[in-house]
Amino acid sequence: MTPAIEAIYRSESRRVLATLIRLLGDFDLAEEALHEAFFVAVERWPQDGVPQNPRAWLVSTGRFKAIDRLRRQARFTPLLQAQADALQAQDWSEEDVEDDRLRLIFTCCHPALAPDAQAALTLREICDLTTEEIARAFLATPTTIAQRIVRAKGKIREAKIPYQVPSLAELPERLDSVLRVVYLVFNEGYSASMGADLTREELTREAIRLGRLLLELLPEPEVMGLLALMLLHESRRAARTSASGELVLLNEQDRALWDASLMAEGCALVERALALRGYGPYCLQAAIAAVHAEALDAGQTDWLQIVGLYDVLLRQVPSPVIELNRAVAVAMWQGPLAGLDLVEGILQRGDLLDYHLAYSARGEFCRQLGRVEAARTAYEKALSLTQQAPEKRFLEQRLAELKH
């Protein structure tokens, strides 16, 4: 595959797949059609040149390949001939190539599907994550994730779940699962669960794009809050790693590298959302991110306000991960001993025992307190749990520093 075709695959394959699912009405058939279309592109484009509208070309080619496949199989399954004839008779042209991913995400997040299946299917079909990557995000086995995806596709097919954006009347009750999955997509891009890079910009960009589309559909506080939260986090991307790709902690980041336009847009959305009734966890998390954004440097951060926001958030959504984040804020406000006591309490009751960031925080607090052996043990445990190369190098650096 040439670099040009690889670039088109990265930018267009999920859009093409979403449209093929709409046209063909079947996930598996659409995926086969997508792969066949790119196979033809690899054969033809180097000689014929890349089409003026590659997305439309790929959709058209994939559609015809699917029809041909159904007709070949119709010799053994006669009902497929009728399906092929219906597809052939579709009123479709190359101009009929719209961005169908919002339709697809509502289909993947239909309430008839279990929440874990919704998320797995969305990450696979919308974001092109492998089953191994999804399994890491869910702390599950690839086999388990593959089974969830197969069952979800079967449920969509058997229940004839419509491939459409819900009506305005249906949107509010369908929104929670979609927001959860969009944020999951963003998080996988903002802090990849595994691999050589800390971030996957194509995923954060896609999640923000979906957030903007959702806000156009339903300008409610939590939609504003989620979009604001993603924008504020994304504004820090350039400062999160060094020029050599090493992890840079928030309080050590060069804030001149933060994207001022994204920060301004995010903060404005937070203000709009908090002025309305019905704000929830996404708005509160965005408000915390906005406090960070408004501080000129780490030393001027209003940690008391951040702790207070975490207190409100915990009342709405009790979660050991949120408790851990609050513990870090408490440590910045009251010192490492206060933070360590909170982290120890979380771990002692059996929460976050497989979560590398809990041990990383414990190690950091112990290091600051001069408890070298305890810090070393905590960092080693965190190192054994992370699958991400920059985080591994960061923890290895911390361990090396303890020897001096």
Side-chain angles (χ1 to χ4, degrees):
M1 190 180 292
T2 66
I5 297 176
E6 285 183 2
I8 289 170
Y9 182 87
R10 287 193 301 272
S11 64
E12 299 291 352
S13 64
R14 295 300 101 186
R15 291 181 172 93
V16 172
L17 177 64
T19 298
L20 285 171
I21 292 172
R22 171 170 63 87
L23 294 173
L24 304 177
D26 184 280
F27 277 80
D28 293 333
L29 183 60
E31 287 173 0
E32 291 167 355
L34 173 71
H35 295 145
E36 290 194 54
F38 269 99
F39 182 79
V40 175
V42 169
E43 285 188 326
R44 294 187 187 173
W45 289 2
Q47 286 77 38
D48 301 343
V50 176
Q52 185 175 1
N53 187 339
R55 189 194 311 175
W57 188 98
L58 290 162
V59 170
S60 179
T61 302
R63 176 175 172 272
F64 282 118
K65 287 292 184 181
I67 292 170
D68 288 344
R69 175 184 289 271
L70 290 172
R71 284 185 171 148
R72 289 195 304 271
Q73 294 173 342
R75 289 178 294 175
F76 311 103
T77 310
L79 286 175
L80 294 180
Q81 183 62 51
Q83 184 180 353
D85 291 342
L87 290 175
Q88 183 72 57
Q90 268 181 337
D91 183 17
W92 184 85
S93 69
E94 289 199 358
E95 284 70 43
D96 185 29
V97 178
E98 54 187 285
D99 192 339
D100 286 295
R101 286 176 295 177
L102 194 58
R103 280 195 186 97
L104 181 54
I105 197 170
F106 272 100
T107 302
C108 292
C109 297
H110 194 278
L113 306 178
D116 56 0
Q118 293 174 2
L121 188 61
T122 301
L123 289 171
R124 181 73 197 95
E125 303 302 328
I126 299 286
C127 304
D128 200 24
L129 266 65
T130 65
T131 51
E132 289 77 14
E133 289 170 321
I134 300 169
R136 177 64 187 172
F138 281 100
L139 301 178
T141 66
T143 300
T144 298
I145 294 300
Q147 290 171 345
R148 286 179 191 171
I149 292 171
V150 169
R151 285 196 297 267
K153 290 178 180 177
K155 180 73 172 180
I156 290 170
R157 185 169 53 249
E158 293 160 11
K160 294 183 170 56
I161 290 173
Y163 184 69
Q164 63 188 31
V165 175
S167 67
L168 286 175
E170 296 174 307
L171 266 176
E173 64 179 343
R174 295 279 301 278
L175 194 61
D176 283 351
S177 59
V178 171
L179 293 179
R180 179 176 62 85
V181 171
V182 169
Y183 193 37
L184 186 62
V185 170
F186 179 85
N187 279 333
E188 180 60 29
Y190 187 70
S191 184
S193 56
M194 61 194 304
D197 299 319
L198 180 67
T199 63
R200 296 181 58 179
E201 187 175 357
E202 73 277 9
L203 293 186
T204 56
R205 188 169 56 243
E206 172 65 6
I208 289 171
R209 193 195 69 82
L210 289 170
R212 293 190 191 282
L213 287 175
L214 286 170
L215 186 59
E216 289 178 16
L217 273 173
L218 200 64
E220 292 199 352
E222 278 294 81
V223 183
M224 293 179 196
L226 176 58
L227 179 56
L229 178 59
M230 295 190 295
L231 291 169
L232 288 164
H233 282 329
E234 184 69 3
S235 72
R236 303 199 294 260
R237 171 189 293 282
R240 294 185 65 225
T241 54
S242 68
S244 59
E246 302 308 312
L247 178 65
V248 180
L249 298 180
L250 176 62
N251 62 342
E252 298 171 358
Q253 290 175 9
D254 179 359
R255 300 193 176 204
L257 296 176
W258 288 7
D259 188 313
S261 63
L262 291 180
M263 281 194 296
E265 185 182 0
C267 289
L269 278 170
V270 171
E271 290 182 9
R272 280 178 60 194
L274 294 179
L276 301 171
R277 291 184 178 182
Y279 64 81
Y282 294 116
C283 290
L284 290 168
Q285 291 175 79
I288 292 168
V291 175
H292 285 294
E294 290 165 353
L296 295 177
D297 55 53
Q300 296 186 51
T301 304
D302 189 343
W303 291 106
L304 177 58
Q305 184 181 2
I306 288 175
V307 171
L309 287 167
Y310 272 125
D311 289 338
V312 178
L313 181 59
L314 275 169
R315 287 196 291 271
Q316 286 198 4
V317 189
S319 159
V321 172
I322 295 173
E323 283 187 67
L324 176 64
N325 293 336
R326 179 184 180 277
V328 173
V330 168
M332 296 299 294
W333 173 37
Q334 295 182 333
L337 184 59
L340 180 61
D341 287 343
L342 293 172
V343 172
E344 295 290 6
I346 294 169
L347 293 170
Q348 285 171 7
R349 68 170 188 254
D351 288 327
L352 304 184
L353 295 179
D354 295 320
Y355 190 50
H356 71 282
L357 293 179
Y359 296 98
S360 182
R362 175 198 263 175
E364 188 65 19
F365 298 150
C366 288
R367 183 185 70 85
Q368 293 175 18
L369 291 166
R371 301 178 184 181
V372 175
E373 286 305 314
R376 180 178 292 110
T377 300
Y379 283 138
E380 287 173 347
K381 179 67 172 178
L383 185 60
S384 73
L385 291 171
T386 185
Q387 299 295 316
Q388 189 191 86
E391 288 185 338
K392 282 182 176 290
R393 292 195 298 270
F394 173 82
L395 292 167
E396 288 165 351
Q397 178 63 33
R398 280 289 196 253
L399 284 166
E401 290 169 356
L402 292 176
K403 295 178 181 178
H404 300 297

